Amino acid sequence: MSRAIHDHSQWGMGDQLGAGNYLTPEKRLEALALVRQGQLFDLSHIIEYGAPRYEPVQTPYLLLGAPNWQGALRRRRQAGATNDAGSNLERIEMTTHVGTHIDALGHFTVGSEMYGGNDASEVSTDFGLLKLGIEHAPSIVSRGLLVDVSRLDGGEFLEAGRSVGPEDIERCLANNKATIRRGDILLINTGWGRFYMNDNVRYLAGEPGINLAAAKWLTKQGVTAIGTDTMAVEVLPGEEAPAVQMPVHQHCLVEAGVYLIENLMLTPLVDAGIAECCFILLPVKFKGATGSPARPIAMV
Amino acid sequence: MSRAIHDHSQWGMGDQLGAGNYLTPEKRLEALALVRQGQLFDLSHIIEYGAPRYEPVQTPYLLLGAPNWQGALRRRRQAGATNDAGSNLERIEMTTHVGTHIDALGHFTVGSEMYGGNDASEVSTDFGLLKLGIEHAPSIVSRGLLVDVSRLDGGEFLEAGRSVGPEDIERCLANNKATIRRGDILLINTGWGRFYMNDNVRYLAGEPGINLAAAKWLTKQGVTAIGTDTMAVEVLPGEEAPAVQMPVHQHCLVEAGVYLIENLMLTPLVDAGIAECCFILLPVKFKGATGSPARPIAMV
Amino acid sequence: MSRAIHDHSQWGMGDQLGAGNYLTPEKRLEALALVRQGQLFDLSHIIEYGAPRYEPVQTPYLLLGAPNWQGALRRRRQAGATNDAGSNLERIEMTTHVGTHIDALGHFTVGSEMYGGNDASEVSTDFGLLKLGIEHAPSIVSRGLLVDVSRLDGGEFLEAGRSVGPEDIERCLANNKATIRRGDILLINTGWGRFYMNDNVRYLAGEPGINLAAAKWLTKQGVTAIGTDTMAVEVLPGEEAPAVQMPVHQHCLVEAGVYLIENLMLTPLVDAGIAECCFILLPVKFKGATGSPARPIAMV
Amino acid sequence: MSRAIHDHSQWGMGDQLGAGNYLTPEKRLEALALVRQGQLFDLSHIIEYGAPRYEPVQTPYLLLGAPNWQGALRRRRQAGATNDAGSNLERIEMTTHVGTHIDALGHFTVGSEMYGGNDASEVSTDFGLLKLGIEHAPSIVSRGLLVDVSRLDGGEFLEAGRSVGPEDIERCLANNKATIRRGDILLINTGWGRFYMNDNVRYLAGEPGINLAAAKWLTKQGVTAIGTDTMAVEVLPGEEAPAVQMPVHQHCLVEAGVYLIENLMLTPLVDAGIAECCFILLPVKFKGATGSPARPIAMV
């Protein structure tokens, strides 16, 4: 689509990697060089029944603990086994946007237009995406930059509907004497994550987040992904809602080919006062899926 | 349980991390120091409908591509939106042992005994594991050692039922002038992986793999995990089948607290002639699940 | 099990039909003879997302509307079709105890004892019931007797926790000059059904229903099934709760082999002043399932 | 849509009942009058894992036997119960076109046109059909006419691809001295049902069935539904395949508002030599679903 091509003409029509193209061996070495103590921070939430979701499009996460060890013992004894090997299994039913997860570029459209000049009426099928599915997302090993905007308004977190603009981000970066480089993963802590599984009604009723201007400024800097401690990265309700809905998703995923990481748990980094880290997120390659639950980590 | 405690008395009753205890900051630094070119290898298969599984306990993997962009456009227009933000989603139904994945320590039992002295009748519930679920597995960033046994019999792969013993592994390690260290991830390439999704009937009918002696030898060396390009790591049918079934799973998971990684795609490493790497696997924290599909990577 | 055998020694060990044995050709003719005008009443609720359920054991009902006509058109055109046959399908995830449904005799146990002298540790498996599943329930075509207890306390419905005893039922039957005969289906209207999908929180918080004495009195009369406009037929909380839980389910299903029909919509019969009817319920034969959603009807 | 309106202008635009409009009280009395001995025949198959389905649009049927009695005992004991009430439950994942089932009028389209002048792009949503879903299908109590065409070619069953035309049906009806009346349910036995679950590969590879001429002749006679012992009622491959696919579904469901009943088990009627019966099928009211598994019965 024109807009997407305009933004990233260097990658051309049909590209499925987007800003993942910035993740070069050099970029990985730059990120790994940040690890000096071997300290590891888990930036993900546990995924369980009742995980926050947008009704009704995001269907409930469910896990059933069967078949289990007892049936296995019975079956294996009947098959002549004497060592009583019991195996526990489960059945999970879920969307890929549950818990801490990353969005595939194919998660959003502008009308029928998708990233890379693709047409949703061709790409989006009953059995998943024929292109731009999460299996095309890169293994992310890159430099992570933490931007803690949680205290900008004096409290411990920003309120729902509070827009985070380019100036807010620049100010925080300046405080950290940090500058964005191509391929960086921008991690924005709003403090809103404290409500995850503690008060899901509030967590979902709205959220602080970046506005379109911030999104465009960040994609212009060449970030590969933007992650937050919220459901949607972008401010909700949006600045021009209801007329304009989810513009940050449209710009980042469809126009800029930049990935979004949601429901991150960033407090470990904030508490440790870490502004720069080696960030790793490895999306599971569910064919044609629009995202993947994940367990991102940060190392220093 | 006595055996588990005997093996790892240093971690004690109630430990849920097992050989993940070896993954210290020092071990991570040792692993990261192996990355010189920033080259990254994806060691996972794409997960799709028809992925190999053991009937009937491993239920079919399914992805339905809905809700999709069209319904979203309709709903958002009705809500007053003019920017046509379409979102694609899906519903996935699966076990966690689909595609490339890691087993949680709670995946297996010996009778009702589980790792760490736990009783399956208490821990295994209708809604998953109360202990030893995959959310307790570590983020793995460690040294990976490739052991390519695929050509030991002259062909390009070992046949189903072919046991890989300690001596086979030692020979391959010797060829690489490599020795196992505590916390290493042992990656065994049997060549059997070539049948994954190409001939699932054959892939599932049996497989080459390590025998109990090899498993005990490896856990004694202090490996944190053992991964293979097969469904089950261990030789199938087993050396004492049907009387003894899945003994390697019992020893590694229940007795030794050592993780198993299955359905790996190791050819990229083999083709590049890489015997030693920085191995990373980040299990998704599905609460109470017995494993997690994953996207492990290797870097050099 | 002793109790079950004691109650129905005439059917003996291993019987899977229970009080369905009363449904003879003669009984069916008796029921059909009640139909004079050919009037039909639908006694079921529509089953939809959000249907009331007991958390967490009764998992959410879910329907996803895919694959749909558009994908079908695409696929068939690619296969050379010119007649644009679009087909809509869906995926449903549910328990069988959703909406208006009937319980299979295998739904409940007393310890490990099940109806017909069966042992739950043998019969209940990871893949459903080996015996006493809903596929063994009869096609019910029998005489239905409506007992409207809703106004016994002066209001339009009985309150949660209100026990309906034998005397209450006898009084209502006397008013209708009706007497119970073998094989009858007893339909008890408490008025509580008004909260179904209108106030599910209240609907589930407790309910009026029969007590154990009433259940025993009814099974002694030889009814084949008992149905109500509530979730559980029996009064909740029970008269001896929490020490004794779900005693009516235990007595009817396990001891007496009498079926329970739940979440009925009985107002059509009440409004039409119909006390006696031809009642038909045809359980879908889901192999090994503990019940079946259904669409029972009444005819006069 | 014009064709649909042309066929049934008497029911008009927006009608959702179709040929169900023929099911009057008089028709029910006519059907019930056929029951003289009270004999009941079950015309349905048991629904289980592995039930035949058209890949990939009809997704696998699955039942998991959990939660079960043991967890219930544990939970209730913890809640203070002493009567050990164990409850068994399950989770089912299915399409509604599994096993013996009935199609809703909204199951098919002609392009974007649906029965009653509806537009599929409005009616078919991510969460099911807004109109023409199975909850709008009637409770069927009507006259059933058995047409046994299984031996027309000398064997015990017709071969796949064998078209059953109007003349075939008329011949069989003449042999039975039977004539079709408005609201009848036509039950066509091809003998193909013998392969159901015995040889699903063959059962699905093609089938004998009615051609478009027969479908048009039957809907002209005013039948309410057509049922067969096959997956699709219509001959497969069709007479004009691949150019024309599923024309009988299009004509019956979209144009004529006539219901289709599939995977019937008709041998009990054939063996008993019953040509005329009281037929009952009660579709479960899954909101917005395109069909419903069912347990149809016949009585004489």
Side-chain angles (χ1 to χ4, degrees), chain B residues 49 53 55-56 59-60 62 64 66-68 70-72 74-75 78 91 93 120-122 124-127, chain D residues 49 53 55-56 59-60 62 64 66-68 70-72 74-75 78 91 93 120-122 124-127:
Chain B
Y49 181 62
R53 61 192 176 86
E55 287 246 8
T59 45
L62 200 80
L64 216 52
N68 69 24
Q70 292 173 299
R74 208 159 35 221
R75 284 185 294 274
Q78 285 162 2
R91 182 81 173 165
E93 300 164 26
S121 58
E122 292 305 318
S124 170
T125 78
D126 292 323
F127 308 106
Chain D
Y49 182 60
R53 61 191 176 86
E55 287 244 8
T59 44
L62 199 81
L64 216 51
N68 69 24
Q70 292 173 299
R74 216 169 18 230
R75 283 185 294 273
Q78 285 162 3
R91 182 82 173 166
E93 300 164 29
S121 57
E122 293 304 318
S124 171
T125 79
D126 292 323
F127 308 106

Side-chain angles (χ1 to χ4, degrees), chain C residues 45-104:
Chain C
H45 289 286
I46 287 175
I47 296 175
E48 62 192 293
Y49 182 61
R53 62 193 177 85
Y54 289 126
E55 287 245 9
V57 293
Q58 294 178 347
T59 44
Y61 171 84
L62 199 81
L63 181 149
L64 216 51
N68 68 26
W69 63 288
Q70 292 173 300
L73 290 190
R74 210 161 31 222
R75 284 185 294 273
R76 290 191 170 119
R77 281 177 187 167
Q78 285 162 3
T82 60
N83 62 320
D84 278 351
S87 43
N88 294 306
L89 285 147
E90 67 286 298
R91 182 82 173 165
I92 287 177
E93 300 164 29
M94 67 177 189
T95 83
T96 59
H97 298 264
V98 64
T100 306
H101 68 277
I102 181 169
D103 292 348

